[in-house]
Amino acid sequence: MTTQEVRLCGLLLREHFGEVVEKLGTHLLRSGSQNLRTILHETGMPRDLVKKVLCVLVQNGVCVFNHRGPGRPTNYQANSNKILRILRYPRYIYTAKTLYGDTGELIIEELLQRGEMTMSRTVKTVADRLTQNMEDGQCMDYSEVSSAFCKLVETHFLQRCPPVAGAGKADSAAPATPATQAGASAPTPESFPDCYRVPQVTIRGQGKRRLSSEDVDQTIAKKAKMDPETHGDEGIYWQVNFERFHLHFRDQAIISAVANKLDQTSSEIVRTMLRMSEVTTSPTASCTKPLSANEIFRSLPSTYNIARPILDQYLTLLVDDPMEFVGRAGESGGGMFVVNLHKVLANLARATLESIVQERFGSRSARIFRLLLRKRHLEQKQVEDFAMVPAKEAKDMLYMLLSQNLVQLQEIPKTPDFAPSRTFYLYTCNQLPTARMLLQNCYKTVANLIERRLFESKESKRLLEKSQRIEAILASLQASGAEPEQLTEVEEMITAPEKQQLDSLRLHINKLDSAENQVDDTIFILESYISATATS
């Protein structure tokens, strides 16, 4: 756990849960596994408040607890990887919208906000939200939302929360929370057979519109008293399967890389191969299961009128490409082919590192960096000759890259006394440590962007609150059918300079949000490469 990771995790917790949760979450990240008494002693926070914060962290899956046996205190430990996933929440929601429409988007959004929910409660909440945005007289059926929920489970974007480790026999049938013992692996279909089994849920009806603000409190009170209705899924909670989303992002990155390097038809062939091997390939596999050219030809979309000889030419082109998108695994069935997942991730990470060096130090430095990545060990004179750069410039660029830890200098002495005149000085570049270092720089960049966005919002807090109040007044007047003169009068409550300031603020915040998403793309590529290298 590095300083930059702790800082970024703290900012994400503050933005989504508040400063109290940030304080306790940061403390757990820095201190490791601790029991309740130690947490109370070291943080100085009230006992009830600490319990509530721990409930929030456990509910959202960013904190795990470890039962150490009867009579012994329970230890709590924050999970930095799950906290960092908060940065990718907008991307998860957008992906669900792209694949399953507005219904899938709202299902994923609700589960991300609440951490875990039962299927029946999720269906009702999403149906109510969709109905609220429909025209008068239209309602969203629960059955349509249930169908979208089942599709998300079938494609493994949603999964059941695993049972709490060490639960008693009476509780073994009902998963309680997403928390597991500290250090336990994430639930998988192999370790938890019912992970993707949808229960028989009896829920009928349509979404309901929100009542006026005066009736909301009475409705909530009545609902609490009159909610003995059961739907058959009590005690079965669902959560978002982040790993499945990450596999989808990885496949999309590979397809996009093929399209940029070759053409759209090649990317469609690779997309078909990835889609065919989704179920049969392990998430940690270095390549997909072998597929014959005949199978690929039959599975191509009908809109692509690719003749068989043309397909063979494209497959040969993909196999011979230096990026090694596709590999040949045999000759049966017209040829057996695989997608080299780990090799593609390594090449994408290498391209990312080269792009970062080029943006920071220029194209000549990127040429030297690329040369060292491929040749591994070179003397300064060899670098000058191979890169075709003047000696003085090459020396300055090498020392600049060396000062930034992007390249390393290795000494190989001819004699034991390490005399400079009898020592070889070789420049080298190791891709994996460089990727780890630049990943930390990306964490620092995102943290700086979040801090800047929070500062901009704090500086204009009064103006933002005034704008929100006026928007609320306008919405209520429009709902009640007010005259245009009244609406104009309310809109004029914000002066022209204030409007200009608001527009400027929104533009700056949108730029910062866009920059966060772009840096997160780089973070995902580097994290995937580091994880794949560790697995292999």
Side-chain angles (χ1 to χ4, degrees):
M1 175 61 64
T2 63
T3 304
Q4 296 302 333
E5 286 181 84
V6 174
R7 177 183 170 222
L8 178 56
C9 288
L11 287 169
L12 291 171
L13 289 175
R14 184 204 303 178
E15 190 174 12
H16 286 78
F17 303 109
E19 294 182 358
V20 178
V21 176
E22 177 204 4
K23 180 181 177 181
L24 182 55
T26 306
H27 172 76
L28 288 175
L29 287 172
R30 288 175 176 156
S31 306
S33 180
Q34 287 190 334
N35 58 42
L36 182 59
R37 178 175 294 181
T38 308
I39 295 171
L40 292 172
H41 174 71
E42 294 187 0
T43 60
M45 297 168 64
R47 186 184 188 90
D48 291 341
L49 185 59
V50 169
K51 286 185 176 181
K52 290 178 181 178
V53 172
L54 287 173
C55 284
V56 170
L57 293 175
V58 171
Q59 173 83 9
N60 287 275
V62 299
C63 178
V64 292
F65 58 86
N66 182 13
H67 296 291
R68 299 194 297 168
R72 302 186 67 185
T74 299
N75 281 357
Y76 298 89
Q77 183 174 2
N79 189 326
S80 61
N81 291 331
K82 292 189 176 180
I83 296 175
L84 290 174
R85 286 173 184 166
I86 297 175
L87 182 65
R88 216 162 281 153
Y89 278 8
R91 197 172 176 186
Y92 299 142
I93 295 171
Y94 178 74
T95 302
K97 180 182 179 65
T98 304
L99 297 175
Y100 299 101
D102 294 341
T103 307
E105 173 194 10
L106 292 182
I107 290 173
I108 295 297
E109 183 181 342
E110 284 293 326
L111 286 169
L112 288 175
Q113 286 182 346
R114 301 174 185 268
E116 57 164 18
M117 290 177 73
T118 62
M119 178 179 174
S120 56
R121 185 181 174 194
T122 306
V123 169
K124 286 185 175 180
T125 305
V126 171
D128 291 347
R129 288 183 62 183
L130 288 169
T131 301
Q132 189 67 30
N133 294 325
M134 288 182 172
E135 297 179 358
D136 292 339
Q138 295 183 353
C139 295
M140 173 61 68
D141 289 334
Y142 289 157
S143 58
E144 293 184 32
V145 182
S146 298
S147 176
F149 192 98
C150 292
K151 287 179 182 177
L152 285 165
V153 175
E154 287 172 8
T155 49
H156 294 187
F157 286 106
L158 297 180
Q159 62 184 6
R160 283 197 194 187
C161 300
V164 176
K169 187 174 181 181
D171 298 326
S172 61
T177 67
T180 59
Q181 284 187 337
S185 59
T188 61
E190 290 77 15
S191 61
F192 181 39
D194 293 335
C195 192
Y196 301 109
R197 185 174 65 83
V198 181
Q200 293 293 331
V201 179
T202 56
I203 177 170
R204 298 181 181 85
Q206 295 178 331
K208 299 175 179 60
R209 296 186 183 275
R210 189 182 305 164
L211 300 176
S212 60
S213 56
E214 300 84 23
D215 301 332
V216 168
D217 295 334
Q218 297 179 7
T219 305
I220 293 175
K222 288 180 182 178
K223 212 170 186 180
K225 295 179 182 178
M226 304 170 53
D227 203 15
E229 187 180 1
T230 59
H231 301 286
D233 66 338
E234 285 70 25
I236 300 176
Y237 292 88
W238 297 87
Q239 62 186 3
V240 175
N241 184 4
F242 297 106
E243 299 307 320
R244 178 66 182 86
F245 275 101
H246 292 168
L247 293 179
H248 178 77
F249 297 156
R250 180 201 66 188
D251 292 349
Q252 293 301 311
I254 293 173
I255 294 166
S256 177
V258 175
N260 292 332
K261 184 74 165 42
L262 300 174
D263 61 3
Q264 193 64 36
T265 305
S266 301
S267 69
E268 192 61 40
I269 293 171
V270 174
R271 185 198 304 273
T272 302
M273 295 177 68
L274 290 170
R275 188 177 67 248
M276 292 170 64
S277 56
E278 268 182 346
V279 180
T280 58
T281 303
S282 168
T284 57
S286 61
C287 58
T288 60
K289 294 292 182 182
L291 299 168
S292 69
N294 294 331
E295 292 175 323
I296 299 171
F297 180 70
R298 288 194 296 267
S299 300
L300 281 172
S302 57
T303 54
Y304 277 81
N305 297 320
I306 303 176
R308 177 57 194 275
I310 302 297
L311 174 63
D312 292 338
Q313 291 177 10
Y314 269 108
L315 289 172
T316 303
L317 180 66
L318 287 165
V319 170
D320 294 339
D321 190 271
M323 290 285 282
E324 300 181 86
F325 295 111
V326 175
R328 188 181 292 273
E331 299 300 331
S332 60
M336 304 294 291
F337 300 92
V338 297
V339 179
N340 296 317
L341 301 173
H342 285 188
K343 284 186 179 180
V344 175
L345 287 175
N347 286 323
L348 288 176
R350 173 176 293 192
T352 301
L353 300 183
E354 293 172 1
S355 174
I356 291 172
V357 173
Q358 181 167 343
E359 289 296 324
R360 291 185 62 186
F361 306 107
S363 58
R364 289 193 173 187
S365 297
R367 189 192 309 169
I368 293 174
F369 182 77
R370 189 181 302 115
L371 181 65
L372 290 173
L373 277 176
R374 292 178 180 174
K375 299 290 187 180
R376 297 304 298 269
H377 295 88
L378 291 174
E379 290 184 288
Q380 182 173 325
K381 184 67 172 65
Q382 291 175 309
V383 171
E384 298 166 7
D385 294 340
F386 287 141
M388 294 183 289
V389 176
K392 185 178 183 303
E393 290 185 23
K395 184 178 179 180
D396 292 341
M397 291 173 186
L398 281 170
Y399 289 171
M400 176 64 73
L401 294 174
L402 188 64
S403 67
Q404 298 294 323
N405 291 325
L406 293 168
V407 300
Q408 293 79 39
L409 187 63
Q410 186 173 354
E411 300 177 359
I412 302 178
K414 295 179 184 178
T415 57
D417 59 354
F418 281 85
S421 60
R422 293 184 294 276
T423 302
F424 291 109
Y425 294 94
L426 300 180
Y427 288 94
T428 182
C429 181
N430 195 334
Q431 183 171 329
L432 184 59
T434 306
R436 289 198 178 105
M437 182 194 70
L438 291 177
L439 179 61
Q440 298 302 318
N441 289 348
C442 289
Y443 289 148
K444 180 179 179 180
T445 302
V446 175
N448 290 343
L449 289 169
I450 293 175
E451 282 193 338
R452 182 65 192 179
R453 180 159 47 79
L454 293 175
F455 173 78
E456 293 273 358
S457 301
K458 186 177 180 181
E459 286 291 302
S460 305
K461 184 179 179 182
R462 183 196 62 79
L463 185 59
L464 287 171
E465 290 176 349
K466 179 179 179 181
S467 173
Q468 290 172 356
R469 286 197 303 269
I470 291 175
E471 287 176 0
I473 294 171
L474 285 172
S476 61
L477 288 175
Q478 288 173 351
S480 60
E483 297 292 332
E485 292 79 7
Q486 291 178 301
L487 299 177
T488 305
E489 185 179 348
V490 173
E491 289 174 353
E492 290 175 351
M493 292 172 65
I494 295 185
T495 61
E498 288 177 334
K499 285 183 180 179
Q500 187 176 0
Q501 187 178 349
L502 270 175
D503 293 339
S504 176
L505 174 64
R506 285 167 181 159
L507 180 62
H508 289 163
I509 290 179
N510 288 338
K511 285 183 178 179
L512 292 171
D513 285 337
S514 177
E516 281 180 42
N517 293 331
Q518 291 173 358
V519 177
D520 182 57
D521 290 340
T522 304
I523 289 175
F524 176 75
I525 294 294
L526 296 178
E527 283 181 344
S528 300
Y529 163 64
I530 293 169
S531 175
T533 306
T535 303
S536 59

